[in-house]
Amino acid sequence: LMYENENYEYALQLFRQIEDADIDCDVQNYIGCCLLNLEQYLQAKKVFETLCDLNPRWSRPRYNLGRTFMMLNEYDKALQCFNKAVLINPEDADAYYYLGVYFEKINNYKNAITNYEKSVSLKPDEFEPHIGLCICYENIGDEQQALTEAKTAFELFNCNNTLYNYTYFLNKQKKFELSFDLLQEHNVLSGDDTGLLKNLMYCSEKLNKKQICSDCAKKISEQYPDDSFAKKIIAEFCSD
C-alpha cells in the first residue's frame, strides 16, 4: 500500500524488513523499484543486475534494469535490456510499454507508437500507454488522435495527470465548454495543481468567465509570479 501511494521511503523500510526475514525475488524487485523512484540509481542497478543473474528468464527485473540505465543516461544498455525483456516474455505488456518510453525519449515516435500499441493490446485497462501515445501523436502533428488517447487515459484512470492531458487537448481543439465543465467538476480552483489551473484559466478566458479566470490567475501568480499569461489576465480582469 505504501508503494502504491508513492511513499517509497517507508515502503523501502518495510520491504527490507521482509527481506531480512525471508529473501524473496519479488521483494528484491520492489526494493530495486523503491531505490529507483528515490533516485538511488546505482543501488537500484545493483539490485536488478543481481536479480537478472539469478533469474535470467524473468522479464521484470530486466526492464527495470533498463529503466535504471535510462536514468543513468546509458541508453544503449537500456535498449538492450528492454529488447531482452520482450524476448524473454513476448506477452509482457510492461516490457513493451518501457520500450515505448525509450523510443519516445529519443524522439523515435513511430517505434514508440508501435510499442505502446502492443502494450495496450496486451493490457487494455492500463492508462499509461495511452499517455505515451497521446504525447507521440502530438509530436507527429496528429492532435485529433492525441485527444482520443488523452480521453481514453482519463476514462481508464481519473487523476490530475490524465485530467490535465485531456483538458489540454480539449482546449487545443477549441472544445472549451467541455474542458471548463470537467475542470469545474473536479474543483480545480480548490487545489494547487498549476497545470490544471492554467487549463481552467485558458478555457475560462475563451468563454469570457472573468471571475473564474482571474481567480485562477491569482492562484498561479502566487506560485509563479512571472507567469506571463497569469500577469496578462490579472492586468485585464483585476484592474479594478
Side-chain angles (χ1 to χ4, degrees):
L1 181 60
M2 292 299 104
Y3 183 86
E4 293 298 326
N5 290 333
E6 300 183 1
N7 189 341
Y8 299 117
E9 286 278 7
Y10 188 41
L12 181 60
Q13 294 177 24
L14 294 176
F15 284 129
R16 280 180 166 159
Q17 290 174 11
I18 299 171
E19 176 194 26
D20 291 340
D22 182 22
I23 295 176
D24 177 88
C25 289
D26 278 322
V27 171
Q28 290 284 349
N29 187 68
Y30 274 115
I31 287 173
C33 289
C34 287
L35 292 168
L36 177 57
N37 286 304
L38 292 168
E39 300 182 5
Q40 298 179 31
Y41 302 129
L42 293 179
Q43 293 183 53
K45 174 174 170 284
K46 184 177 179 180
V47 171
F48 294 133
E49 285 178 334
T50 299
L51 281 172
C52 288
D53 290 339
L54 291 172
N55 304 272
R57 302 304 302 167
W58 190 19
S59 59
R60 194 179 308 162
R62 189 72 60 176
Y63 65 67
N64 282 331
L65 179 57
R67 293 170 62 202
T68 308
F69 278 130
M70 282 188 66
M71 300 310 299
L72 293 169
N73 293 317
E74 298 185 50
Y75 288 97
D76 289 343
K77 291 181 179 178
L79 180 59
Q80 291 174 15
C81 288
F82 296 138
N83 282 331
K84 182 68 173 177
V86 167
L87 187 64
I88 290 170
N89 185 0
E91 301 301 311
D92 190 329
D94 291 334
Y96 288 102
Y97 169 73
Y98 287 114
L99 194 52
V101 171
Y102 167 84
F103 283 117
E104 180 194 325
K105 186 73 173 178
I106 64 169
N107 301 328
N108 187 334
Y109 300 117
K110 180 180 178 180
N111 280 337
I113 288 170
T114 297
N115 283 284
Y116 283 140
E117 288 180 342
K118 180 66 174 178
S119 179
V120 169
S121 71
L122 291 168
K123 197 185 286 188
D125 294 335
E126 290 292 324
F127 78 94
E128 289 96 338
H130 292 285
I131 295 290
L133 285 166
C134 173
I135 294 168
C136 290
Y137 280 118
E138 180 186 25
N139 277 288
I140 65 174
D142 190 344
E143 292 191 357
Q144 184 57 52
Q145 188 60 38
L147 173 60
T148 299
E149 298 297 342
K151 180 182 180 183
T152 301
F154 176 71
E155 290 172 343
L156 287 170
F157 188 64
N158 183 337
C159 66
N160 282 1
N161 184 25
T162 56
L163 178 61
Y164 169 80
N165 279 299
Y166 186 27
T167 53
Y168 170 80
F169 283 103
L170 285 172
N171 285 344
K172 290 194 78 172
Q173 295 284 314
K174 299 183 179 180
K175 299 181 179 182
F176 303 122
E177 288 281 2
L178 179 54
S179 178
F180 178 83
D181 289 345
L182 277 170
L183 292 164
Q184 284 289 84
E185 180 183 330
H186 287 79
N187 298 313
V188 166
L189 264 175
S190 65
D192 58 1
D193 188 301
T194 305
L196 292 176
L197 286 168
K198 285 186 175 183
N199 284 356
L200 180 57
M201 179 172 64
Y202 184 79
C203 62
S204 297
E205 186 208 24
K206 297 299 181 182
L207 296 169
N208 200 34
K209 297 181 182 294
K210 294 184 178 181
Q211 185 60 56
I212 292 174
C213 188
S214 61
D215 288 345
C216 289
K218 289 174 184 176
K219 292 200 72 168
I220 292 167
S221 64
E222 290 173 2
Q223 300 180 59
Y224 301 96
D226 295 327
D227 186 281
S228 59
F229 190 40
K231 288 168 70 174
K232 170 181 173 289
I233 294 299
I234 290 172
E236 289 182 4
F237 295 167
C238 306
S239 56
D240 294 340

